[in-house]
Amino acid sequence: GWKADWFQYMRNNHILFGICLHHPLHPVEWWERIVMLLGSTAFGLAATTCVYLWDASYNPAGMDDTVVTVWGNYAITKGQIVLWTFGCLLHSVFDF
């Protein structure tokens, strides 16, 4: 059924699950998957750094503006929201 197909697809294609759970006959080996994971992580860090530097250069005063405070102590700033949205979007495009 579709669940078994989906599980097999995720075992072969997920960036973390695929390292240990891929099918033995799949052409991509475990060490190649680790290289892809490292490349994906490096790109994610570079993408979020670029987004941060771009936003900080055009709006330096607004990066630390608090948007919402959670649990009374933790402030979520505009800069964090920008990084989480655009950085994750760029990272997802890279992994696709």
Side-chain angles (χ1 to χ4, degrees):
W2 68 270
K3 286 183 184 178
D5 291 342
W6 183 76
F7 281 126
Q8 188 60 45
Y9 174 81
M10 290 303 288
R11 286 182 192 131
N12 284 328
N13 294 317
H14 192 273
I15 198 158
L16 289 175
F17 298 153
I19 293 172
C20 298
L21 302 175
H22 68 277
H23 193 274
L25 298 177
H26 195 274
V28 181
E29 298 293 329
W30 67 271
W31 61 270
E32 293 171 306
R33 294 170 188 270
I34 290 178
V35 169
M36 288 187 279
L37 176 63
L38 292 174
S40 174
T41 303
F43 181 83
L45 291 173
T48 53
T49 300
C50 290
V51 168
Y52 176 79
L53 291 175
W54 174 78
D55 194 48
S57 65
Y58 285 105
N59 189 12
M63 289 296 285
D64 294 328
D65 292 345
T66 300
V67 176
V68 67
T69 304
V70 258
W71 297 304
N73 298 350
Y74 304 104
I76 297 178
T77 65
K78 178 188 170 263
Q80 290 172 326
I81 292 174
V82 167
L83 287 178
W84 293 339
T85 54
F86 293 113
C88 289
L89 177 70
L90 290 173
H91 195 184
S92 297
V93 169
F94 176 81
D95 285 342
F96 183 69

